[in-house]
Structure formats: C-alpha cells, structure tokens
Amino acid sequence: MVDTPGRIPEDFIQSLLSRVDIVEVINAAVPLRKAGTNYVACCPFHNEKTPSFSVNKNKQFYHCFGCGVSGDAIQFLIEHNSLSFVEAVELLAGQLGMQMPQSGQSEPSADHNLIYNILAEATAFFEQQLRQQTLAKQAVQYLKDRGLTGITAKAFRLGFAPPGWDNLLTSIAKDPKQKELGVKAGLFVNREGNKFYDRFRNRIIFPIRNRRGKVIGFGGRIIGSTSDEPKYLNSPETPVFSKSHELYGYYEARQAIARSNSVLVVEGYMDVVSLVQAGITNVVATLGTACTEQHVQYLFKTVPEIIFCFDGDAAGKKAAWRSLEICLSLLDDQHRVKFLILRDNEDPDSYVRKYGAAALQVEMKQAASLPDFLFTTMAKQVDLDHIDGRVQFATQIKQYLAKLPEGILKTMLFDRLAQLVNVDPALFHGKKPRAMQRRNEFSQSIISKALVSPAIRALALLITYRELAADLATDIFSLVSIDIFGCNLFCAVAEILKASPTITDAEIKALLPEALRENFVVMDLRGIAHIVPKQGVREEFLGAIEILRRRKKELVMDDLLLKAKQNVLTDADKLLLQQMLQEKG
Ligand code: CTP
Ligand code: MN
C-alpha cells in the first residue's frame, strides 16, 4: 500500500515506527482533539463537517470512519503531503535524528504527482475507448458474456486498450517528456532510445487503484481464451506501484471491509469484479503474486479476519499453503485467518455464477481456521495411528506453531498438538509436567477459557457483582445453546438472578439443572471477576454480552444462508435475511 518500499530495510522502518508518535505527526498538519482514548479531527482526505477521522496513539494508527482511509505515520505523510515512501521515511527519520541506512537514499526525484496524472489520463482514455470504439465491440461482448453489467464496469472503471502500437501514445504523450513519464508510469515501452510503443494493446483494462482511489497501474486481459500472448499483462513495478504491497479492489471495498469486520482475499481481477457484482463486496485480490507479509499486515490493521479463497487446483492449494506460512508470524490473539479451497476446480468467479453468492457465503462461514487447516493438511500426510507418523507430525507442526506470536492461541494449539499425539503438553511448553489436579476438567481450564470465552467473563462478573442483573435484557435468555464455551451456564444463572437478585451462591447452585451444576465453580469465577478493575466492570460485562448477541446473529444468519442454498426460505426468512445482510453491509 506504499510506493517503492523494499530498498529500506524492514527493521529500520519498524524501529522508526516504534519511535515516532503519530499524534504529533498528524497534529502538525491537522489539529487534533482528544476524545476518550483517541484523537479526532475532521478528515483531511474527504469533505466533512463532523469529525470521523480518528487517531489511535496506542496502535499508532489513523482511520477515517467516513471515507475509510487508514494507515500509520508513514502512510499519513505519503497521502497527506504527497510524498513517496522513501521521502516520508526520510522526513520522519530526520525529525527523530535517525540515520537513514545507506541503501535507503531516495532516487533522483521521480515526481509522483506527474505519474499519477498521466495514469489518470490513461485511465480516462481506456474507459472512453471501451464505450466508443467500434473495435471495442468484441471486448464489450466478452464482458457481457461473462455476465458483467455496465454498472460494474463503470464502478471498476474497466477500459479497453485498442489494437495497434500507439493509440495511447499519440493520444496522451505528444512531447518527449510525456513519453518518458509514460515509460516511468509503465504505460509505454521504450525501444532503441527514442522510440516508444503502448504496453497494453488489444486488451480489457483493469485499473488498479491505491487506497485513495488514485490509479497506480493496470492489469490487461486478452479478449477471449485463445491467444499466444499471456492471458494477463500487468504494469511493471513503478515508483507508485508495488505488487507486493497493493491489493486489487481495496479502494472499492474499503467501506464494506470496515463494516463486515472481515475481508475475502481472492486471486484474480475477475474474481473481485464478479463477486462485488454478486453482492459480496468485502473482497480484494493479490495481483498475480503470492500474498505477502505486507498485504497481511496492512489488512490486519483494518480488520480482525482474513478469509483466503483459492481455486481447488494444485496451484491454488500451493498458494494457500504459502499464505499460511506468511500469516503464522502475524496471527496474534486479536486476529483470525481462514482458508476456503473451492471444490471442483472452480474459482470464486465461476463459483458464484454457478451456485450464487449465498452459497459462497455459506462456504465462507465454514472456511477452515488457520489452525484447523494446518492440522488437517499435515495429518493427511502422515499416519497418526503409528508412533513414527505421530513423531513426524508433531515435529513438523511444532515448527509451524513456533512461528506464532506468544499468546493464548499459541498455547492452546500446543496443547491440542500434545493431545493429538498423546504426550504431556508440558513437553511443548518447556515446563515440567503438571502435578495431577483434583478439580474437575471444567475447573482446570476455566481460567484460561475465561480469557477467551465472553460467556465465562459475563458469568464471573454477574456472580461477583449482583447489581449487574439489573442490566440484563430479556433477550439474553435466547442466547442459550450458542456454541460459545459456558454460554448455557451463563444463561441459566442469569435467568435465576434476574428473577431473584439476592439469592445466595448455594441457592443458585441448587436451582441449576443437574447437567450444569457441577460446572458452577464459584471460587474460580470470583477469581476471574477480580481481574477486571472495578470501574470497568459494567463495560466489560455489557461488552461480553454483546459478543454473545453477535454470535447468536451469526448463527441465525448461517441457518438462513443454508436454507437459501437449499431453496427452502419462507417469506419471513427472506425478509429477515435481507435485513441481516443489509445490516452487515
Ligand atoms: N495473472 C497474471 N498473469 C497471467 C495469469 C494470471 O498476472 N498470465 C494474475 C492475474 O492477476 C489474474 C490472477 O493471476 O487475475 C489469477 O489468474 P487466473 O486464475 O489464471 O485468471 P482469472 O483471474 O481466473 O482470470 P479469468 O477468469 O479472466 O480467466
Ligand atoms: Mn477466472
């Protein structure tokens, strides 16, 4: 999402970012006001009267809830001051008194704005060619045959590069300076010193935009399926375009991504365009390269969940595994990564055209989490019934898990590995084996589960602070049977306390259904509750319940989507589904 990186070592950038204060950097350009833990202002990147631009000092990150821009201090300078990546880094390094690494000197001034301008002219040219050229008939027909509407083509600013060597050249580059600029922008190819020709010829053009909507490069597809030429031709790396940092469709999807808290990453231009048209709008594509750490890092700054979707062929599976390896070191407890491998060699585009968007949404819901994908893929390669296979399995998985950042997920996965290969988990944690514990299983794990289960957090707080019962809305009893650890127990206790808030712990226990009674371990619950500072109790409590409510909604939605797939929706179901999809955006 930045231009010309790669020449400055990543650790220099990281150490720069760890020293810089984004609040100071932005405040110098846009006066900020403190609001709660964040700082706010009217967004400098779009017109607005009430501030939706927010700067988070802890995360060292800005985000506009209005137009969707976001980034770190470097990104802010790139976008706001129209600097190149290297220039922004130099500026900050200068302010912090840090010495730039040798290789990081900026190139003699490539003027980014001029490059953006010529790319904008080219985009307009290609767009207009698609509409007017009689030669574009074939291209238009091809897009129609693939099911694309004019509205979609317009939204993505699709275009057409006519056949011939100099259509664009003669139209937008009259003088030598423009020609040179066009070469820098990746539009023209320079031959024998002063001869130039169009890079994109007789192709459908997919403009690639940066997150501010500026075109930074193009993908060009041949029309039809037979040609000696490669199917896609992309802009080369230029001062404003780096494939390993950019994602096709991000600009168009940014609001949908923010709304849905999840992003679908696919492989192709057509996949993005076709899915958006079908109503799955939180989608981006890597640009014919494998997914990189920069891609994942960037997406993780805006959403907690990435769903990778790959074709079901061998290449797709290989790409999925590469993405898994990239994600491991970035997968902290705040983020999730899922994998969806489409069956029958479909790609996302052909899948939605064949089965519909609702079916793909069901698949997305059921996508394997990264750990599940890791464990099942590796398990297929060994024989877990024999000791040799288990050793091999454990050795390999251990290497992958070791790359995860420290956290609950890592600990839990090592435990899961231990269980699978039937050894003491302490073996993987480098600790002495635990002494036998007397408490039941629920109790043993309750503390660690409380850290992840909102139901246990809510239960612990409710037991300890009985006045919270007054905050319980009646709808929480409908949360029973959600697939979240401890939810049934929480609902049962909540119901009892709502009816009689002054009841004793022993009386609650007596009133609980047999099956839940044994799990009601008051001492542990109080221990958990006391981890929460007093003034945060109510907020934590309501927050935990909100997570349960959201999960309930998700389950209802899953159910509806499944019915949609089986074509058994009632009218009431349809209405509800429509409402829920709208809410989700
Ligand atoms: N790609 C590329 N160069 C190629 C082939 C592919 O850059 N010669 C990139 C493009 O970004 C393309 C993506 O890889 O969108 C996925 O390629 P592929 O699955 O082959 O194409 P589709 O996107 O499915 O294209 P289409 O449906 O138009 O055939
Ligand atoms: Mn395709």
Side-chain angles (χ1 to χ4, degrees):
M1 304 284 148
V2 288
D3 33 21
T4 52
R7 281 167 295 149
I8 306 177
E10 190 58 31
D11 37 334
F12 181 80
I13 293 166
Q14 288 314 324
S15 93
L16 178 94
L17 283 174
S18 68
R19 282 181 224 188
V20 79
D21 180 6
I22 194 168
V23 174
E24 269 173 36
V25 172
I26 296 185
N27 195 42
V30 185
L32 294 169
R33 180 164 60 76
K34 190 151 194 306
T37 49
N38 288 341
Y39 292 79
V40 297
C42 281
C43 179
F45 301 115
H46 81 287
N47 249 328
E48 64 174 5
K49 296 216 170 65
T50 50
S52 41
F53 179 80
S54 154
V55 183
N56 184 318
K57 193 178 167 92
N58 290 335
K59 290 192 186 158
Q60 286 291 305
F61 199 68
Y62 68 89
H63 178 72
C64 174
F65 293 94
C67 67
V69 293
S70 51
D72 53 27
I74 298 176
Q75 193 59 37
F76 181 83
L77 291 174
I78 293 172
E79 304 286 358
H80 189 265
N81 300 10
S82 296
L83 299 181
S84 71
F85 181 81
V86 178
E87 287 163 349
V89 171
E90 278 175 348
L91 181 72
L92 290 174
Q95 286 172 1
L96 295 167
M98 288 170 74
Q99 181 73 37
M100 285 291 285
Q102 266 312 310
S103 59
Q105 303 305 321
S106 63
E107 279 183 350
S109 66
D111 195 333
H112 289 229
N113 279 333
L114 290 177
I115 295 181
Y116 288 133
N117 289 345
I118 196 168
L119 289 168
E121 282 179 56
T123 310
F125 174 82
F126 292 139
E127 254 182 319
Q128 179 243 342
Q129 291 296 304
L130 184 66
R131 280 194 218 112
Q132 293 183 359
Q133 259 267 357
T134 39
L135 282 170
K137 260 199 190 127
Q138 224 195 336
V140 171
Q141 192 54 47
Y142 176 77
L143 291 173
K144 277 190 184 151
D145 290 346
R146 293 198 64 169
L148 287 195
T149 65
I151 298 171
T152 307
K154 208 168 167 186
F156 283 91
R157 304 197 63 187
L158 301 192
F160 176 58
W165 294 91
D166 59 0
N167 291 293
L168 183 66
L169 194 70
T170 51
S171 156
I172 69 167
K174 306 223 157 54
D175 58 70
K177 242 173 115 186
Q178 281 296 97
K179 287 178 186 159
E180 286 296 344
L181 186 64
V183 172
K184 249 185 211 161
L187 294 168
F188 311 131
V189 183
N190 190 342
R191 182 179 50 142
E192 297 165 18
N194 61 352
K195 295 205 175 96
F196 300 86
Y197 63 90
D198 289 354
R199 177 182 300 274
F200 298 99
R201 301 176 307 279
N202 200 18
R203 281 174 186 268
I204 291 166
I205 297 291
F206 295 78
I208 302 155
R209 291 187 260 196
N210 70 8
R211 62 170 108 172
R212 301 246 353 255
K214 285 200 168 117
V215 174
I216 50 177
F218 300 97
R221 192 197 192 287
I222 54 159
I223 300 156
S225 52
T226 45
S227 172
D228 300 334
E229 300 267 324
K231 183 161 71 170
Y232 281 95
L233 185 68
N234 302 302
S235 290
E237 301 280 307
T238 74
V240 303
F241 180 53
S242 151
K243 277 183 206 123
S244 58
H245 285 69
E246 303 296 342
L247 290 161
Y248 179 68
Y250 186 84
Y251 174 74
E252 291 81 356
R254 69 205 188 285
Q255 278 157 354
I257 293 172
R259 268 201 308 272
S260 61
N261 265 323
S262 173
V263 61
L264 184 69
V265 179
V266 296
E267 291 182 286
Y269 298 104
M270 275 303 289
D271 298 325
V272 169
V273 174
S274 163
L275 260 53
V276 169
Q277 179 171 300
I280 299 177
T281 47
N282 52 331
V283 59
V284 298
T286 47
L287 292 155
T289 54
C291 183
T292 64
E293 214 161 281
Q294 290 93 320
H295 289 140
V296 176
Q297 255 165 356
Y298 182 70
L299 289 173
F300 270 176
K301 279 183 175 169
T302 23
V303 269
E305 178 178 275
I306 297 178
I307 307 175
F308 287 101
C309 182
F310 292 99
D311 306 1
D313 56 15
K317 284 178 189 151
K318 212 171 138 199
W321 196 255
R322 262 207 314 266
S323 303
L324 176 141
E325 290 176 330
I326 294 283
C327 289
L328 275 171
S329 66
L330 303 169
L331 189 62
D332 58 25
D333 290 335
Q334 279 71 50
H335 294 98
R336 292 181 300 279
V337 170
K338 293 182 176 175
F339 291 90
L340 172 56
I341 313 272
L342 296 174
R343 60 193 138 94
D344 306 332
N345 284 352
E346 301 288 352
D347 69 10
D349 162 45
S350 64
Y351 188 98
V352 284
R353 278 190 291 142
K354 210 165 183 178
Y355 305 106
L360 186 61
Q361 263 161 339
V362 173
E363 301 274 2
M364 281 158 67
K365 290 267 172 197
Q366 293 166 351
S369 68
L370 183 146
D372 285 350
F373 185 62
L374 172 68
F375 277 80
T376 49
T377 311
M378 295 301 255
K380 277 183 207 148
Q381 297 167 12
V382 297
D383 175 8
L384 284 176
D385 290 337
H386 291 97
I387 236 177
D388 290 352
R390 292 213 295 272
V391 169
Q392 202 189 342
F393 180 77
T395 321
Q396 285 171 346
I397 296 230
K398 195 179 139 186
Q399 278 165 7
Y400 284 104
L401 295 185
K403 296 192 184 130
L404 287 165
E406 294 310 316
I408 298 170
L409 179 72
K410 185 176 196 170
T411 313
M412 290 190 352
L413 291 177
F414 270 119
D415 284 350
R416 177 163 156 196
L417 173 60
Q419 243 169 35
L420 271 172
V421 294
N422 210 4
V423 299
D424 191 304
L427 196 70
F428 294 119
H429 295 307
K431 287 183 224 135
K432 289 209 172 116
R434 294 181 199 143
M436 285 288 286
Q437 294 186 17
R438 274 176 296 111
R439 295 264 182 81
N440 68 24
E441 204 181 309
F442 185 95
S443 163
Q444 276 178 30
S445 54
I446 197 166
I447 302 262
S448 64
K449 288 205 167 133
L451 298 169
V452 281
S453 166
I456 296 294
R457 285 203 301 275
L459 175 63
L461 291 167
L462 183 60
I463 283 293
T464 315
Y465 303 97
R466 296 294 173 84
E467 64 275 17
L468 291 172
D471 287 325
L472 289 168
T474 39
D475 78 309
I476 65 135
F477 308 130
S478 74
L479 299 176
V480 83
S481 79
I482 296 180
D483 54 351
I484 285 181
F485 180 81
C487 198
N488 285 352
L489 181 61
F490 168 65
C491 288
V493 172
E495 194 161 4
I496 295 169
L497 276 174
K498 182 87 183 163
S500 16
T502 53
I503 198 168
T504 67
D505 293 342
E507 284 166 334
I508 296 176
K509 191 158 191 169
L511 284 172
L512 282 170
E514 185 94 44
L516 297 176
R517 205 171 295 156
E518 200 199 336
N519 292 339
F520 188 63
V521 188
V522 175
M523 230 173 59
D524 287 349
L525 289 170
R526 288 194 201 281
I528 292 161
H530 290 129
I531 298 171
V532 179
K534 270 242 166 62
Q535 67 275 20
V537 164
R538 188 154 178 273
E539 200 182 333
E540 179 72 37
F541 180 66
L542 295 177
I545 291 180
E546 194 46 44
I547 297 174
L548 300 181
R549 280 208 186 97
R550 235 182 288 146
R551 180 61 190 150
K552 170 82 183 182
K553 267 197 199 156
E554 270 175 27
L555 290 172
V556 171
M557 178 116 142
D558 282 356
D559 190 46
L560 289 172
L561 288 172
L562 193 66
K563 279 188 185 165
K565 197 178 174 187
Q566 297 163 342
N567 248 329
V568 294
L569 285 177
T570 66
D571 286 346
D573 286 343
K574 278 181 195 157
L575 199 69
L576 183 60
L577 179 61
Q578 209 178 0
Q579 270 173 4
M580 294 187 86
L581 285 173
Q582 261 166 15
E583 252 175 62
K584 252 196 116 194

